[in-house]
Amino acid sequence: MAKVDTSLVADLPLFAGFKPEEVEEILREARSARHPRNSTIFEQGQDAHSFFLLLHGHVRATKTTPTGEQILVRYIATGETFGLAMAIALTHYPATATAVDDSVALAWPTVTWPRLLEKFPGLAVNTLQTIGSRLQESHTRMLEMSTQQVEQRVAHALLRLVKQSGKKLGHGIEIDFPISRQDIAQMTGTTLHTVSRILSAWEQLGLVESGRQRIILREPHRIFLLSEQNSGAANIDRR
Amino acid sequence: MAKVDTSLVADLPLFAGFKPEEVEEILREARSARHPRNSTIFEQGQDAHSFFLLLHGHVRATKTTPTGEQILVRYIATGETFGLAMAIALTHYPATATAVDDSVALAWPTVTWPRLLEKFPGLAVNTLQTIGSRLQESHTRMLEMSTQQVEQRVAHALLRLVKQSGKKLGHGIEIDFPISRQDIAQMTGTTLHTVSRILSAWEQLGLVESGRQRIILREPHRIFLLSEQNSGAANIDRR
DNA sequence: CGATCGATTGAGCCCTCTCAAGAGAGGTGG
DNA sequence: CCACCTCTCTTGAGAGGGCTCAATCGATCG
């Protein structure tokens, strides 16, 4: 349990508006832990014992139905909080968190949350912002799922991923963590087969280059155009 | 602008943990307004001048794409807050709010939010809960849209609606505000045609009774069974 | 009482899913 | 270091759920 350097995290949204000594006080309650690639950090339905701040790596949040179908709720990037069940009055995690990379996260015991809140009301405000923008994201995704074809949804998903975690290359951008066809399918509400076909087609056109759990966008701009293209205006039933 | 009786709203989630005199102080900043049926309360993209608490009636929140397709984000019931753009750091409304009933809402100027927050940190905590449960809802809906057939999604949507705003009848439950096939289509990511066909079929079976903007669930339990039925396990690709 | 808005229903098609094999890449253990 | 095994990806064939297009009907309202 190494001490975390305050300066490394002080600029994160969670601590916006806090003084360094306050950040330090909050950090004192947390402990840091390594999560090797593909390990589970917490599981859906499990008692929400902690909440987290990702320091390094990437984490995948998934939600599963009783029958075993699952969707990928979001990828958590470095600097983001996750497992905030208690902040929204849940006693159990609503999703499963898995490290997709070797990752490091700070963990606070859930029981410290009320105390921290009382002492630092700004935490609630900052967390509200975070949750709020996730809600926005979520609505955007619903809008896409309702109104767009699979190909456009995949394009949007990839663009969002490179925006969040893209590594610029000489020519193009790479998603800098392992991601499978299945993952993309679960983000866009389709099947891995359809994603595979789409990526194969794009590869033919030189838009992407991809392999096992690896995707490079060679022509982000042309993919953007794809994502925008309205295949004939579906529901133009305005009121 | 009549004075609002504190006792009417003190029990709402927004004011959980507040003393009556505090509630009163907060209410003093708001003004009440009537919104006739089908009137727009605010429009997507518009400057977020106010946030609201619905005192009476029902409000529909919709989100529209540049090309005109829209989805129904949620129905707001009496006692719920809406238009919380500022709480999530937006300067413009991300959706349109329309009164589906003759409605009454309290409105606070957005500029009062920071001041209120400072004086009453509990507001942020309570709002966090609200936004959090909406995020949950949102994820559940995404899960449904990804994994279920249209018929099941419609069943779920109707059950959720009667749970939120159902009026119990001698035999069955009625959704107690005007709702069209198109509305249901926009909630479930389908077309009004498909919804119409589904409801017609259900009517044949005696599950529902419906007319122009009016739906009664005659056999909620059987509709629940429909909503649960797993049409052959789609994506049982677990990891 | 006409006009407008919501609902119904048919016909045909197509995008995407399902089912089915198989191939390649990586990891692992002997 | 090689053989094997597992996991990911690819691709074909076929089917079908739901969408699009189109027309009509009924109800509500001014």
Side-chain angles (χ1 to χ4, degrees), chain B residues 210-222:
Chain B
S210 72
R212 190 188 177 83
Q213 304 204 89
R214 198 177 52 80
I215 301 178
I216 301 169
L217 308 194
R218 286 295 184 202
E219 302 278 359
H221 183 64
R222 286 171 64 198

Side-chain angles (χ1 to χ4, degrees), chain A residues 60 63-65 67-73 86-90 94 113 117 121 124-125 127-129 131-136 138-143 145-147 180 182-183 186 189-192 230 233-239, chain B residues 60 63-65 67-73 86-90 94 113 117 121 124-125 127-129 131-136 138-143 145-147 180 182-183 186 189-192 230 233-239:
Chain A
R60 183 180 55 215
K63 201 171 166 68
T64 308
T65 62
T67 42
E69 295 106 345
Q70 61 176 29
I71 60 166
L72 203 160
V73 176
M86 73 297 150
I88 56 182
L90 296 176
W113 177 250
L117 260 198
V125 178
T127 304
L128 182 52
Q129 311 265 325
I131 301 291
S133 46
R134 292 189 193 168
L135 184 59
Q136 281 310 109
S138 203
H139 287 160
T140 302
R141 224 167 116 185
M142 283 182 21
L143 194 56
M145 290 188 38
S146 299
T147 63
S180 69
Q182 170 80 310
D183 291 324
Q186 292 178 343
T190 181
T191 61
L192 74 159
N230 181 332
N235 253 359
I236 305 239
D237 271 305
R238 274 171 253 214
R239 301 186 170 244
Chain B
R60 183 181 54 216
K63 203 172 164 69
T64 309
T65 63
T67 41
E69 295 104 347
Q70 63 175 29
I71 61 167
L72 202 162
V73 175
M86 73 298 148
I88 57 184
L90 295 178
W113 177 250
L117 260 199
V125 179
T127 304
L128 183 51
Q129 311 264 325
I131 300 292
S133 45
R134 292 188 194 170
L135 183 59
Q136 280 310 110
S138 202
H139 288 161
T140 303
R141 224 168 117 184
M142 283 183 23
L143 194 57
M145 289 189 38
S146 298
T147 62
S180 69
Q182 171 80 311
D183 291 324
Q186 292 180 342
T190 182
T191 60
L192 74 160
N230 181 331
N235 253 1
I236 305 242
D237 272 303
R238 275 171 254 215
R239 302 186 167 241

Side-chain angles (χ1 to χ4, degrees), chain B:
Chain B
M1 169 161 28
K3 180 128 185 280
V4 180
D5 188 350
T6 305
S7 66
L8 283 177
V9 298
D11 292 333
L12 299 180
L14 177 63
F15 297 121
F18 283 84
K19 302 197 196 88
E21 58 269 28
E22 294 175 322
V23 174
E24 198 152 344
E25 183 178 344
I26 297 170
L27 288 179
R28 262 199 299 276
E29 308 262 6
R31 54 192 195 74
S32 169
R34 269 196 78 251
H35 299 277
R37 179 170 171 185
N38 289 328
S39 65
T40 301
I41 300 176
F42 56 77
E43 202 125 6
Q44 178 174 343
Q46 188 182 320
D47 189 79
H49 51 79
S50 304
F51 62 96
F52 302 85
L53 174 59
L54 189 62
L55 293 180
H56 188 77
H58 294 272
V59 171
R60 183 181 54 216
T62 55
K63 203 172 164 69
T64 309
T65 63
T67 41
E69 295 104 347
Q70 63 175 29
I71 61 167
L72 202 162
V73 175
R74 61 196 309 274
Y75 277 101
I76 293 133
T78 300
E80 292 190 83
T81 49
F82 64 103
L84 297 170
M86 73 298 148
I88 57 184
L90 295 178
T91 57
H92 298 263
Y93 293 117
T96 296
T98 313
V100 298
D101 256 346
D102 285 337
S103 300
V104 179
L106 288 178
W108 284 262
T110 293
V111 292
T112 62
W113 177 250
R115 190 171 70 242
L116 286 173
L117 260 199
E118 193 147 338
K119 187 146 189 192
F120 305 108
L123 279 180
V125 179
N126 292 345
T127 304
L128 183 51
Q129 311 264 325
T130 304
I131 300 292
S133 45
R134 292 188 194 170
L135 183 59
Q136 280 310 110
E137 242 178 66
S138 202
H139 288 161
T140 303
R141 224 168 117 184
M142 283 183 23
L143 194 57
E144 286 176 10
M145 289 189 38
S146 298
T147 62
Q148 304 182 331
Q149 309 271 100
V150 172
E151 186 174 25
Q152 291 164 58
R153 303 207 301 264
V154 171
H156 271 121
L158 293 185
L159 289 171
R160 232 176 274 130
L161 286 170
V162 297
K163 198 169 164 189
Q164 192 197 35
S165 307
K167 191 170 75 185
K168 284 208 181 61
L169 303 180
H171 179 47
I173 313 184
E174 176 170 14
I175 295 173
D176 78 340
F177 55 81
I179 184 168
S180 69
R181 307 291 185 260
Q182 171 80 311
D183 291 324
I184 296 170
Q186 292 180 342
M187 297 183 73
T188 52
T190 182
T191 60
L192 74 160
H193 308 278
T194 301
V195 173
S196 181
R197 281 184 240 270
I198 288 171
L199 288 183
S200 293
W202 287 358
E203 192 132 21
Q204 294 289 316
L205 298 171
L207 298 180
V208 302
E209 207 175 307
S210 72
R212 190 188 177 83
Q213 304 204 89
R214 198 177 52 80
I215 301 178
I216 301 169
L217 308 194
R218 286 295 184 202
E219 302 278 359
H221 183 64
R222 286 171 64 198
I223 292 174
F224 176 76
L225 291 178
L226 260 179
S227 79
E228 294 266 281
Q229 112 186 164
N230 181 331
S231 60
N235 253 1
I236 305 242
D237 272 303
R238 275 171 254 215
R239 302 186 167 241

Side-chain angles (χ1 to χ4, degrees), chain A residues 77-90:
Chain A
T78 301
E80 293 189 80
T81 49
F82 65 103
L84 298 170
M86 73 297 150
I88 56 182
L90 296 176

Side-chain angles (χ1 to χ4, degrees), chain A residues 116-130:
Chain A
L116 286 174
L117 260 198
E118 192 146 345
K119 189 147 188 191
F120 305 108
L123 279 180
V125 178
N126 292 344
T127 304
L128 182 52
Q129 311 265 325
T130 303

